[in-house]
Amino acid sequence: MTNMDNKKKPRKESNPDSKLELANKIAKQSKKVANTYAHFEDSLFRIIRSFSSWIDNVLFNQRFSLIVSLGLAILLYMTVNFNSQNSLFGSPLLSAKTLTDIPIVARYNTDTFEITGLPTSADITITGEGSNVNAAANQKGTLVANLEGLTEGQHTVKLTPEGYSDNVTIKVDPSDVTVTLKKKSTGQFDIGYDFINQDKMNSIYSLGTPEFEYSKVNVRTSKDTLDSIAFIKALIDVTNVESDFEQEATLVAYDKKGIPVNADIVPNTVKVKVPVTSPNKTVPIRVETSGEVPNGMAIETITMDHESVTIYASESVLSKINEVGVTLDASTLTKDSTVLRPITLPTGVKSSSISQISMDVKLGPGVSRILENVPVFYKNNVGKYKFSILNNQSTVNVELFGTQANVDAINPEDVVVYFDMKNAVPGNQEFKLSVEQPVGSLVRYSVTQPTIQVTVSGEVDNTVDESVGIN
């Protein structure tokens, strides 16, 4: 039995007809699926063609074009103005805009208190519907710090926006400010003055001393501020004034550095009268030459189109001026020329009747001439020393250079040769000799002997003159 069980059972042989039948079934099923897919695909294409044709009829039909345009406009409006989570009748989108430097004003008892620590401006952010935000941003609102009813000391208050629509929300940054209220005191000050806009006044006019209706004013502010005030000035506007005038001048308080101080000045203006004059003086014009004419030539004559000029300045300045100068660089002259040069106005002179002159310059051959035995002078013997000249040399020779006519016109007594004793000390010393060059002279002077030997005794004689001739 065991041996029989261990023997392999014979395989059942497959039927060829069964395999053929199975293959036919599979082929029929595949053909059926293919037909179904083809039918579905054909139906889908028919639907798409029908929808496309309908869309073409709607979009390109003149009867429906207005309706389509309206629909697209509504869709665009909804896209721009509404959230995706809202329907057509939902809430509009919110907008925000930040504005900077909004002015801050304080409300408090200005008669009793002075305020410090208040910033001049703050920033705000406006939130709301877009159109409302834009409208509010164009309004001229302010931020108010309300301190009414508060007493002296430090206080923190909220900044409240005013002047804006109620349809928006406004956030202030910073929302709070800390300020200090100080009680005011009263002090009395003298009135000074400043002329303003002098650049808008004709320079030929001079302003006299103002005459005020009153000379003192009261200033009301905190004690600390009152102590910082150095002076009160009336600001007198002199725009285009040409004669005596009166005006109400504004009063301003200043500290020691000249910085304006915020304080209540009672009254804050003063009536003032100001005299206006036009002091002037007519003085000659002198030509001051420098350098040397090239090629051995010299200036023969200078003829000016104006010999004098009227200058305008204060009386004190005019009293010190006897002439005005015009400079001419001789080294630029190579032939007879007409030269236009500006007039050099002395310090303190505001204006002049002319600002420049025309000069006709004639040249001639230069010649030299020696002036003999020109006396020597000393100057600035501030120590009043007694002294003597070695070898009793009290005169020197001076060389002149110019045209023949000009050098011949010079006399020895017209020439001044000197040495300066400002730094003299007792003992033997050598001093430099100098010769004065007259203003406007067309002749050049030079000393043939550059120095002089002097013995200073060291004795002081109060009768000795500081500047005198030694011959």
Side-chain angles (χ1 to χ4, degrees), residues 409-431:
I410 304 300
N411 297 314
E413 56 268 22
D414 298 330
V415 181
V416 177
V417 178
Y418 66 93
F419 60 93
D420 194 336
M421 294 186 64
K422 181 178 180 180
N423 298 319
V425 294
N428 293 332
Q429 293 164 71
E430 186 176 71
F431 291 95

Side-chain angles (χ1 to χ4, degrees), residues 198-268:
Q198 292 192 65
D199 59 327
K200 299 178 182 178
M201 171 184 169
N202 194 318
S203 58
I204 70 172
Y205 297 105
S206 292
L207 301 166
T209 302
E211 179 183 342
F212 294 107
E213 183 179 14
Y214 43 83
S215 61
K216 295 180 180 293
V217 289
N218 291 326
V219 179
R220 184 166 176 78
T221 184
S222 70
K223 187 177 184 308
D224 292 342
T225 304
L226 201 63
D227 291 341
S228 71
I229 296 176
F231 45 84
I232 305 293
K233 284 190 175 182
L235 303 183
I236 305 172
D237 188 355
V238 297
T239 301
N240 296 328
V241 299
E242 298 179 350
S243 59
D244 300 353
F245 66 95
E246 296 183 8
Q247 70 175 228
E248 288 286 335
T250 301
L251 295 173
V252 179
Y254 296 90
D255 62 15
K256 294 179 180 179
K257 296 181 179 179
I259 300 174
V261 176
N262 186 17
D264 296 334
I265 303 175
V266 184
N268 61 359

